[in-house]
């Protein structure tokens, strides 16, 4: 039996951006006695056109706010549909249904309702009351498979335009564990750009990731900062060089901060920095808190395109890099190599990160990496110098004795 929505469902909000419109990513994790029974992670916003009292049309874009409820969400079973229901206060509600078949499940009946009687959300609206828009799309996904779509899915259902992206979704989860088997949407298979998440005004340029045969220059250092409301919650400064081995052919790619977009999120126990550009669909750095005392880089995910047209996709959530006490930053000026997998490494240059407890938008005192720690070199240098001096004295002494013996002859 599925637990009640209040006890069995967990709703986590992550602060992100879509263009100039603030949006929050949603993660819904419904559970039953076996564990997770429905998992969904996605982002969405809606542009609604309505008539005003002065006989003109007004457009209102509504993104997911930082406070929502999810009353009515349920896991479903062989006889009953599963559903997710989200309420944005008084003005807006949204729902999606899932039906289980013998070998697959269907995602259908996506319904958006909005109330133009809310003068704050829809000022000067003529037609007061609740309006409902039903999306006719129907996705079929095999059982024990998670549906993923990072690209933007847009549906123009006059008078509402709906946008969805960053979707990771599995209904009727088997044995309480989200599947590692994926079904990727068609748009992700053909489109080489991600959702329009913009943090930079620099124009985007196309860079071809090709096999390398000559030394690659040191990458430009970029500065990245993530805000939670009006407060900076994550800081990162680093030059990034991606090293990929595809079918024994090495590719090296420097990330250019001027043409790279970034976004992210901050939670009490985790933080995320996501980079993307014309070549990289996403490059995620995910940090975690360890023993309530330290932070570290726990996970790296990348999805990018190579010059031969193939897509490269690697995830590793079992890392342990950049370990430092909470309340401090981590710094490594020298080149550092992060081995994410056998086929993927990240070289960092002039690195400095602080994903938690940022104060006044500035880095705290840094813990330096062992590569930067020169204190151990001092005794080594002194010891080597003394050893060299002793060797010189011994050699001089031996030479001197040989000359002394050579000055006398046996009688």
């Amino acid at each position: 039996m599925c637990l009640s929505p209040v006890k069995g469902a967990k709703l986590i909000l992550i602060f992100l951006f879509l263009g100039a419109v603030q949006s929050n990513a949603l993660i819904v994790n419904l559970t039953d006695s076996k564990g997770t029974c429905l998992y969904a992670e996605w982002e969405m916003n809606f542009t609604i056109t309505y008539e005003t009292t002065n006989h003109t049309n007004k457009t209102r874009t509504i993104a997911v706010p930082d406070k929502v409820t999810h009353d009515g969400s349920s896991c479903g079973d062989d006889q009953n549909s599963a559903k997710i229901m989200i309420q944005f206060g008084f003005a807006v509600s949204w729902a999606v249904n899932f039906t289980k078949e013998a070998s697959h499940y269907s995602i259908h009946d996506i319904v958006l309702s909005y109330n133009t009687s809310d003068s704050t959300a829809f000022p000067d609206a003529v037609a007061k009351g609740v309006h409902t828009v039903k999306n006719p799309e129907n996705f079929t996904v095999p059982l024990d498979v998670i549906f993923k779509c990072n690209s933007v899915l847009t549906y123009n259902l006059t008078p509402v335009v709906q946008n969805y992206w960053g979707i990771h979704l599995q209904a009727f989860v088997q044995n309480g564990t989200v599947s590692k088997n994926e079904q990727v949407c068609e748009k992700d298979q053909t489109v080489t750009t991600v959702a329009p998440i913009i943090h930079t005004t620099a124009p985007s340029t196309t860079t071809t990731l090709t096999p390398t045969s000559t030394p690659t220059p040191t990458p430009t250092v970029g500065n990245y900062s993530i805000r939670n409301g009006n407060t900076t919650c994550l800081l990162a400064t680093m030059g990034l060089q991606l090293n990929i081995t595809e079918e024994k052919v090495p590719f090296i790619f420097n990330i250019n901060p001027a043409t790279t977009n970034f976004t992210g999120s901050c939670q009490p126990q985790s933080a995320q920095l996501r980079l993307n550009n014309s070549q990289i669909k996403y490059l995620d750095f995910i940090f975690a808190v360890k023993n309530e005392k330290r932070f570290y880089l726990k996970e790296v995910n990348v999805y990018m395109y190579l010059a031969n047209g193939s897509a490269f996709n690697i995830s590793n959530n079992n890392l342990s890099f950049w370990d430092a006490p909470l309340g401090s930053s981590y710094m490594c000026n020298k080149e550092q190599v992060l081995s994410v997998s056998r086929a993927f490494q990240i070289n960092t240059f002039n690195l400095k990160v602080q994903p938690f407890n940022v104060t006044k938008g500035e880095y705290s005192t840094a813990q330096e990496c062992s590569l930067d720690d020169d204190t151990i070199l001092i005794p080594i240098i002194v010891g080597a110098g003394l050893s060299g001096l002793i060797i010189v004295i011994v050699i001089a002494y031996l030479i001197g004795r040989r000359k002394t013996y050579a000055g006398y002859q046996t009688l």
Side-chain angles (χ1 to χ4, degrees):
M1 175 186 293
C2 183
L3 299 177
S4 67
V6 174
K7 295 181 180 179
K10 300 176 182 177
L11 186 63
I12 305 170
L13 296 177
I14 301 177
F15 184 81
L16 293 171
F17 289 89
L18 174 65
V21 179
Q22 177 180 325
S23 176
N24 291 289
L26 292 164
I27 300 178
V28 174
N29 186 21
L30 297 178
T31 60
D32 59 14
S33 59
K34 295 180 180 180
T36 297
C37 55
L38 189 155
Y39 180 84
E41 176 182 351
W42 79 104
E43 298 174 62
M44 60 184 177
N45 68 15
F46 314 103
T47 300
I48 301 172
T49 302
Y50 64 96
E51 185 180 0
T52 65
T53 53
N54 60 1
H55 305 292
T56 60
N57 289 331
K58 182 174 287 188
T59 299
R60 173 71 193 277
T61 298
I62 296 178
V64 179
D66 57 0
K67 292 183 179 180
V68 303
T69 57
H70 56 287
D71 298 335
S73 299
S74 62
C75 293
D77 51 35
D78 292 341
Q79 288 76 39
N80 302 301
S81 297
K83 66 171 58 178
I84 297 174
M85 301 185 69
I86 304 294
Q87 298 84 35
F88 305 6
F90 172 69
V92 180
S93 64
W94 180 89
V96 59
N97 291 272
F98 310 89
T99 302
K100 185 178 181 181
E101 305 293 343
S103 61
H104 66 272
Y105 62 92
S106 298
I107 308 170
H108 60 91
D109 291 341
I110 304 171
V111 178
L112 171 69
S113 297
Y114 58 98
N115 192 341
T116 52
S117 298
D118 187 330
S119 58
T120 302
F122 303 98
D124 305 321
V126 172
K128 304 288 186 180
V130 178
H131 305 265
T132 300
V133 177
K134 184 176 180 180
N135 190 329
E137 288 293 326
N138 189 322
F139 297 94
T140 299
V141 183
L143 287 173
D144 199 29
V145 170
I146 185 169
F147 174 77
K148 291 190 176 183
C149 194
N150 289 302
S151 300
V152 181
L153 302 179
T154 300
Y155 302 99
N156 192 344
L157 307 170
T158 306
V160 179
V161 177
Q162 303 179 21
N163 293 302
Y164 303 95
W165 70 99
I167 303 168
H168 292 195
L169 173 64
Q170 184 181 356
F172 307 104
V173 175
Q174 309 288 303
N175 301 318
T177 303
V178 175
S179 177
K180 294 182 180 180
N181 302 319
E182 301 179 0
Q183 176 174 304
V184 180
C185 66
E186 292 183 7
K187 208 167 184 183
D188 273 4
Q189 297 172 15
T190 57
V191 178
T192 61
T193 58
V194 294
I197 304 171
I198 306 298
H199 265 265
T200 176
T201 57
S204 178
T205 59
T206 301
T207 303
T208 303
L209 185 59
T210 57
T212 179
S213 59
T214 58
T216 303
T218 301
T220 302
V221 175
N223 293 299
Y224 311 99
S225 62
I226 304 302
R227 299 179 68 84
N228 190 352
N230 295 322
T231 304
T232 299
C233 59
L234 183 153
L235 292 171
T237 302
M238 51 190 169
L240 294 173
Q241 186 177 88
L242 309 185
N243 291 264
I244 297 170
T245 302
E246 183 78 358
E247 296 180 354
K248 297 184 179 180
V249 178
F251 297 82
I252 296 182
F253 176 59
N254 284 349
I255 292 181
N256 183 358
T259 58
T260 298
N261 307 320
F262 63 93
T263 185
S265 62
C266 298
Q267 300 296 320
Q269 298 294 316
S270 65
Q272 179 196 45
L273 173 65
R274 165 170 285 194
L275 309 181
N276 74 277
N277 56 32
S278 59
Q279 205 74 32
I280 302 171
K281 179 169 288 189
Y282 58 80
L283 173 60
D284 292 337
F285 297 91
I286 298 176
F287 302 86
V289 173
K290 178 169 59 179
N291 301 326
E292 304 298 329
K293 295 180 179 180
R294 304 181 71 86
F295 71 83
Y296 67 105
L297 179 66
K298 181 180 186 296
E299 183 175 348
V300 169
N301 307 309
V302 65
Y303 193 116
M304 60 188 301
Y305 297 91
L306 307 182
N308 58 12
S310 65
F312 180 81
N313 186 10
I314 286 290
S315 295
N316 189 338
N317 63 358
N318 194 31
L319 302 175
S320 185
F321 296 115
W322 304 348
D323 188 298
L326 284 174
S328 68
S329 59
Y330 176 87
M331 182 173 69
C332 198
N333 289 318
K334 294 181 180 178
E335 180 179 359
Q336 188 180 36
V337 179
L338 276 62
S339 181
V340 180
S341 71
R342 289 185 178 182
F344 181 56
Q345 294 181 335
I346 302 176
N347 291 19
T348 65
F349 300 80
N350 297 310
L351 167 75
K352 195 170 187 180
V353 293
Q354 186 171 347
F356 301 99
N357 300 355
V358 177
T359 303
K360 297 181 180 179
E362 298 178 352
Y363 285 108
S364 301
T365 302
Q367 174 169 307
E368 295 186 48
C369 66
S370 58
L371 295 174
D372 286 354
D373 190 359
D374 294 330
T375 56
I376 194 173
L377 294 178
I378 296 175
I380 292 175
I381 293 171
V382 172
L386 291 175
S387 298
L389 181 60
I390 292 172
I391 291 171
V392 169
I393 293 173
V394 171
I395 292 173
Y397 171 74
L398 292 175
I399 293 173
R401 290 195 62 183
R402 289 185 64 183
K403 287 183 177 180
T404 302
Y405 290 145
Y408 296 89
Q409 293 183 0
T410 302
L411 295 176

